[in-house]
Amino acid sequence: MLPYETNNIYWLAGNNGQIFNMFKKLQEKQKTSIKLNDKASNCLSGLPSQLPYESPMFPLFIKNSQGPYIWDVDNNQYIDCHSCYTATILGHNHPNVMKKFQQGMEHNRGAAHATEEHIQLAELIQKMIPQTERVAYFHTGGEAILTATRLARNITKKKLIAKFEGCYHGSTDIGLHNPWLALAGQISKDPLQNIQPKYATGGGVTHEDEYLILPYNTNIAFDLIQQYKNELACIVADPVPAFMVNWVDECKTFMKKLCQTADKFQIPMIFDEIVCGFRLAKGGAREWLQYKPAMSCFGKITSSLGLPLSILAGDAKYLDNMRTSGVMSDYGMNKVWAASTMNANYPSVLASLAQLQELDETYDTVVQQLDKNHAYLKQQLAQLAQETNIAISLEGHPRLQQQLSIDKQHPEEKTYRSLMTSSSMTQFKTLLLLTYYLRNQGVYTKLLPTMNLSSAHNDQTMQQLFIYIKNAILQMKKDNAINSINS
């Protein structure tokens, strides 16, 4: 076991021997994963289990996945409620997606070759997302966002980028300035009208003068945009930030006003739909808001079967600025360079095409199942809370991010600062413990107890999931591991 895991166990358990026994049981259950994690620490950096600011204890090593389930190297089966950070909306290895992928891979073209599937995927994106003129492919959402901001800067000839406090846009500089820092305890103390660009999430990030940090869901944001309107190259916005998933209607109201403000001052809007893309509506936030931004960035769902592919979709005015005009012309035309050997490799494009075709054909059925899953679990947990006097609840939106919570406090003001400061370290530790009590029952979440559900989580799976959650909560109560029981 790694030293930080031992320290975390003592931090969570304190003097509670029953919690120590729970961790001992977990160690025995996934002993092969623990051995592999120890081995990985001697040769790997950047393993999903070793990322900075997200280092869960006892990370699982997975050997198989199917539908709503995963199996670890110790042959334990889990209901997957992590779902690859919401990427597996159809469940793992959907049979129709696998069939199309396997057929296409009989003639694998590898990377750096043009194929008909590149066009088919772009045309499908144009069909699904209203008024999309051009499409470009990248590996990650962060790359798509970075390229979009470069294109905006190149067209507008301005440098300043506006983004919102508490919003993460990938591991590039824009993503690491003022993202969600609640877990690190570094919520800014700057006044909302003067939030200083900071990169407290890590070293090596510079150029603070290139960012204007805005407070989400406040009128101050509009005042700042007006103040800096002549300097702004673009505004990057997540239509529904992770900290606002309980208040999607308020996000819609705020976003519509934001788009109107951007249009008024002729500032390009860039939507970060890496997480919410295709979930708010089949046509994404464009359809949901009835608004056409300059560019939209999509990911997660577009990375099918674990093969990385993100999409930048938008106006030809911007995306054609990364299109070649010929070798002898490009250098003199100040084009935006956005190329990589593995960009739009054939396996990734093929997998993405298969998944989006399935989603396009079955969209209503998929989202109905997601809505049904959320309603069932929310109702069952509300009844459990009443029966046990434990304030367990399901937070979030049925088609977006969801999480189990205990004694969640909802502040009257729906802003990043208010929502983050309403949480306590005691509550955080309780939720971490819930993650491991769930693991012992047969439910997989990674760090906090997310409930990222797919359309493969059918009624029978949901019933079993609730039983596992109920058993975990009752065991926590028995072990005196819940520190916020209503009186």
Side-chain angles (χ1 to χ4, degrees):
M1 191 189 309
L2 298 179
Y4 76 81
E5 291 183 339
T6 302
N7 292 337
N8 282 338
I9 289 174
Y10 278 99
W11 177 65
L12 286 169
N15 296 319
N16 189 321
Q18 292 169 303
I19 295 177
F20 273 104
N21 288 336
M22 181 275 294
F23 279 118
K24 288 180 181 178
K25 180 180 177 183
L26 189 61
Q27 283 181 262
E28 181 61 27
K29 180 176 184 176
Q30 55 172 84
K31 56 187 175 184
T32 307
S33 283
I34 291 173
K35 289 179 182 178
L36 289 174
N37 191 48
D38 290 345
K39 188 175 181 179
S41 68
N42 294 320
C43 59
L44 282 170
S45 292
L47 194 70
S49 61
Q50 299 168 341
L51 294 174
Y53 312 105
E54 189 190 52
S55 47
M57 296 183 293
F58 308 128
L60 285 183
F61 280 70
I62 305 301
K63 74 171 187 177
N64 195 18
S65 62
Q66 186 62 50
Y69 301 104
I70 57 174
W71 289 262
D72 68 13
V73 290
D74 288 292
N75 296 314
N76 299 305
Q77 176 182 288
Y78 301 89
I79 298 176
D80 185 9
C81 294
H82 178 258
S83 298
C84 304
Y85 297 100
T86 76
T88 55
I89 189 172
L90 303 176
H92 294 286
N93 301 318
H94 189 281
N96 292 345
V97 175
M98 287 296 294
K99 181 179 179 180
K100 289 180 180 180
F101 179 73
Q102 290 167 347
Q103 288 174 343
M105 285 299 290
E106 290 177 2
H107 304 283
N108 182 19
R109 285 80 142 173
H113 298 294
T115 72
E116 189 174 356
E117 284 80 1
H118 287 82
I119 300 171
Q120 292 172 354
L121 179 56
E123 289 179 338
L124 178 58
I125 295 295
Q126 287 179 323
K127 172 189 171 186
M128 295 177 72
I129 304 169
Q131 298 179 286
T132 295
E133 296 176 346
R134 298 285 189 272
V135 174
Y137 305 126
F138 298 92
H139 293 95
T140 68
E143 290 174 306
I145 294 287
L146 176 63
T147 303
T149 58
R150 285 179 177 171
L151 289 166
R153 281 173 164 172
N154 204 39
I155 291 295
T156 62
K157 308 304 179 189
K158 300 174 183 178
K159 184 175 73 170
L160 194 63
I161 296 172
K163 67 161 288 186
F164 287 92
E165 183 182 35
C167 290
Y168 176 69
H169 302 291
S171 59
T172 60
D173 284 13
I174 183 174
L176 296 181
H177 275 92
N178 302 69
W180 182 47
L181 295 174
L183 297 186
Q186 299 181 43
I187 300 171
S188 175
K189 299 292 192 275
D190 296 327
L192 293 180
Q193 66 271 24
N194 186 28
I195 304 172
Q196 294 302 303
K198 297 174 183 175
Y199 53 95
T201 49
V205 182
T206 57
H207 307 299
E208 297 93 332
D209 61 332
E210 296 181 357
Y211 298 100
L212 172 67
I213 310 301
L214 305 174
Y216 194 89
N217 200 31
T218 68
N219 287 324
I220 294 173
F222 305 121
D223 296 336
L224 288 168
I225 292 170
Q226 181 170 7
Q227 181 181 343
Y228 290 93
K229 62 182 184 293
N230 295 325
E231 301 172 49
L232 283 170
C234 60
I235 301 171
V236 179
D238 182 340
V240 184
F243 54 86
M244 289 291 292
V245 288
N246 283 309
W247 300 281
V248 171
D249 289 342
E250 291 199 23
C251 291
K252 191 171 190 177
T253 299
F254 177 76
M255 283 297 299
K256 285 196 169 188
K257 186 174 180 181
L258 177 66
C259 294
Q260 291 169 359
T261 303
D263 283 353
K264 178 181 178 182
F265 299 124
Q266 297 182 313
I267 303 169
M269 280 294 305
I270 298 172
F271 284 177
D272 177 352
E273 299 191 55
I274 309 303
V275 175
C276 70
F278 307 105
R279 290 178 176 271
L280 296 168
K282 187 175 181 179
R286 293 180 180 223
E287 179 183 336
W288 183 60
L289 294 170
Q290 294 295 296
Y291 175 80
K292 184 172 77 73
M295 291 168 278
S296 301
C297 301
F298 298 87
K300 306 296 185 195
I301 292 174
T302 60
S303 294
S304 177
L305 304 178
L307 295 169
L309 188 131
S310 64
I311 289 171
L312 173 57
D315 291 351
K317 172 183 176 182
Y318 295 95
L319 269 69
D320 280 358
N321 205 237
M322 55 182 281
R323 174 188 281 185
T324 182
S325 298
V327 175
M328 301 305 295
S329 303
D330 287 349
Y331 287 103
M333 297 178 68
N334 196 34
K335 292 293 185 75
V336 170
W337 181 267
S340 168
T341 301
M342 294 296 167
N343 263 11
N345 65 80
Y346 179 75
S348 292
V349 170
L350 181 64
S352 183
L353 176 61
Q355 175 142 301
L356 290 186
Q357 284 175 334
E358 182 68 22
L359 186 63
D360 180 46
E361 294 167 5
T362 63
Y363 187 80
D364 289 344
T365 301
V366 168
V367 296
Q368 285 169 10
Q369 185 66 48
L370 296 178
D371 292 349
K372 184 179 181 182
N373 290 345
H374 179 87
Y376 169 79
L377 191 55
K378 193 174 185 70
Q379 189 275 330
Q380 292 293 105
L381 290 173
Q383 183 174 336
L384 178 63
Q386 189 173 29
E387 293 172 355
T388 62
N389 204 31
I390 302 171
I392 178 76
S393 63
L394 180 62
E395 302 293 312
H397 186 273
R399 303 181 192 180
L400 299 172
Q401 295 161 306
Q402 303 172 70
Q403 180 180 307
L404 297 179
S405 193
I406 297 177
D407 202 22
K408 177 69 175 178
Q409 303 298 313
H410 290 155
E412 188 172 328
E413 188 180 44
K414 309 302 189 300
T415 65
Y416 170 72
R417 303 281 182 90
S418 298
L419 292 166
M420 292 302 102
T421 54
S422 67
S423 301
S424 68
M425 185 56 68
T426 297
Q427 183 190 36
F428 176 59
K429 292 169 78 170
T430 302
L431 292 178
L432 283 177
L433 283 173
L434 177 55
T435 293
Y436 298 107
Y437 274 87
L438 288 170
R439 182 85 60 82
N440 268 323
Q441 288 293 324
V443 178
Y444 177 68
T445 67
K446 188 175 181 182
L447 187 65
L448 293 176
T450 55
M451 289 289 113
N452 298 330
L453 307 176
S454 71
S455 60
H457 289 73
N458 59 26
D459 294 354
Q460 182 179 355
T461 305
M462 292 303 299
Q463 291 168 9
Q464 187 63 59
L465 173 60
F466 172 69
I467 292 172
Y468 287 155
I469 294 172
K470 181 178 180 179
N471 290 343
I473 289 294
L474 293 177
Q475 187 63 49
M476 286 183 72
K477 183 177 182 179
K478 181 179 178 181
D479 293 349
N480 196 27
I482 298 177
N483 297 301
S484 47
I485 300 176
N486 286 353
S487 57

